[in-house]
Amino acid sequence: MASLDAITLRQLRALTAVARTGSLTAAAEQLGLTVPAVHAQIRNLEGVLGLTLLQRNSATGGSQPTRDAETVLEAARRVDITLERCVQQIAAIKAGHAGRVTIGMVSTAKYFAPFLVRRIKELCPDIEIVLREGNRASILLDMERRAVDFAVMGRPPRQPSVAATPIGPHPHGLIAPPDHPLAGRKVTVEELLDHPMLSREEGSGTRILMTSYLESHAEGRMFDLTIMGSNETIKQAVMAGLGLAFLSLHTVTEELHSKRLVTLDAPDLPMVRQWYLVHDPEIDLSPAAQKILKLILRFQGAFLPVPPDSVWGSARRDVAKRAR
């Protein structure tokens, strides 16, 4: 059995050139080699395969491939096609037109991540997008391990140092079922604290923001807090009347539009922060990752869901419109 290691591209191309031109002399001229060099490449290939690959063409006096050589020539054509595709793909990767880009998304971002990916794929169909979803701590760990090219989050870390660019407004508010006794009127923080609060786990960006808000307004009062594992569970619990929740309004946009949930008119709410695109400035992004990063910045938050105007109040409405 022939050893594949002994077959070379030079041998295959010498045989292909003779088959195409009809003579060793013409093949040598086309390849920029001497006739003996071309003859040697083909003899070596015949020795590896144990076959006669060329025969004399009595009509032209040149050389033509044998029947056995046709199988080898077909393989040579396939090799050339594969290598050509490889070169094209590498060129596309270098130019940023192809490749794989992994984006980290905090859990709250999953409510708009599919729309973001769709817009990216419309403009960059040959770039594969991989989403890694997790809580804030796990996404930061993914960045440290270089498991993601960059991440979308609401609160960039102070350490380690990262490059963080705002990509759109990120409103937060207190949500309740529409029949809640606090719904539909201005409420004080003291009234809020008389009701149980539902929250994500400690360390989540939303939990940190909620705790900061309540502590800054509660003047030392304790509040009843129940921990739940996901935004979806919290939404269902609020609709079931188990308590109030401080959430990103991007997680409840559909429920607010359908009026299954309402926002409470509490002091300094809605609280508008920013979504950020975050990456490690010490890491050289691939051309594809650089292209996607610039593309997301160019969208200027147009992929973000827009809560109803009614939840903003007149002072915030201009911010909501800019997010469209």
Side-chain angles (χ1 to χ4, degrees):
M1 183 176 179
S3 171
L4 292 178
D5 293 339
I7 299 175
T8 68
L9 286 176
R10 287 181 178 274
Q11 295 168 353
L12 295 176
R13 284 173 179 164
L15 178 64
T16 299
V18 174
R20 184 188 305 119
T21 62
S23 74
L24 290 169
T25 302
E29 185 175 334
Q30 185 180 85
L31 295 173
L33 300 173
T34 64
V35 172
V38 172
H39 188 256
Q41 294 290 350
I42 295 174
R43 290 296 298 272
N44 289 338
L45 182 58
E46 289 178 327
V48 171
L49 297 175
L51 296 172
T52 299
L53 300 176
L54 290 179
Q55 61 188 4
R56 186 169 181 77
N57 186 325
S58 56
T60 64
S63 300
Q64 67 182 37
T66 63
R67 186 171 297 177
D68 290 334
E70 293 297 338
T71 301
V72 181
L73 289 168
E74 176 60 26
R77 282 191 286 269
R78 292 177 181 272
V79 169
D80 276 341
I81 291 170
T82 300
L83 288 175
E84 183 178 355
R85 287 176 180 170
C86 177
V87 170
Q88 290 172 347
Q89 289 171 355
I90 290 172
I93 289 170
K94 286 182 176 180
H97 300 315
R100 172 184 288 190
V101 177
T102 302
I103 306 175
M105 291 273 183
V106 293
S107 302
T108 304
K110 72 182 180 182
Y111 292 91
F112 60 79
F115 301 100
L116 174 60
V117 172
R118 185 188 70 185
R119 295 201 64 170
I120 292 172
K121 294 299 290 181
E122 286 172 352
L123 297 173
C124 305
D126 294 326
I127 296 179
E128 179 185 358
I129 304 297
V130 178
L131 294 180
R132 286 179 66 93
E133 179 197 333
N135 60 25
R136 184 173 182 274
S138 69
I139 293 301
L140 290 176
L141 186 59
D142 280 344
M143 290 184 62
E144 182 181 338
R145 292 173 174 171
R146 302 188 178 184
V148 298
D149 293 292
F150 47 80
V152 175
M153 61 178 56
R155 197 171 67 89
R158 294 180 180 178
Q159 292 294 331
S161 177
V162 296
T165 307
I167 58 174
H170 187 191
H172 295 74
L174 282 161
I175 62 167
D179 59 352
H180 194 277
L182 298 182
R185 65 180 180 85
K186 287 186 178 295
V187 299
T188 65
V189 175
E190 287 73 18
E191 288 177 300
L192 292 174
L193 297 181
D194 291 333
H195 298 269
M197 301 291 296
L198 311 176
S199 174
R200 291 280 304 278
E201 73 283 356
E202 189 172 354
S204 82
T206 306
R207 167 74 175 272
I208 292 169
L209 201 56
M210 180 205 73
T211 302
S212 175
Y213 173 78
L214 292 177
E215 288 180 348
S216 66
H217 289 79
E219 298 180 352
R221 278 192 59 184
M222 300 295 290
F223 46 89
D224 180 6
L225 188 64
T226 300
I227 308 302
M228 294 188 172
S230 71
N231 291 324
E232 284 300 316
T233 303
I234 291 174
K235 287 195 296 184
Q236 294 300 321
V238 172
M239 286 189 280
L242 296 181
L244 307 175
F246 184 96
L247 286 177
S248 161
L249 297 186
H250 286 154
T251 69
V252 292
T253 299
E254 292 300 321
E255 290 80 5
L256 292 174
H257 279 290
S258 64
K259 299 183 179 179
R260 288 177 290 164
L261 290 172
V262 297
T263 55
L264 297 182
D265 189 359
D268 301 321
L269 294 180
M271 184 185 298
V272 182
R273 293 294 187 261
Q274 288 284 324
W275 283 109
Y276 289 90
L277 195 61
V278 179
H279 69 96
D280 186 341
E282 300 299 321
I283 296 177
D284 292 330
L285 296 176
S286 69
Q290 292 179 37
K291 184 172 184 176
I292 298 305
L293 187 147
K294 291 176 182 177
L295 189 60
I296 294 174
L297 296 180
R298 201 174 78 202
F299 290 154
Q300 296 184 325
F303 51 85
L304 294 171
V306 181
D309 282 351
S310 60
V311 310
W312 295 88
S314 59
R316 303 289 190 183
R317 196 165 295 157
D318 60 331
V319 180
K321 289 178 180 178
R322 287 200 300 271
R324 292 179 180 174

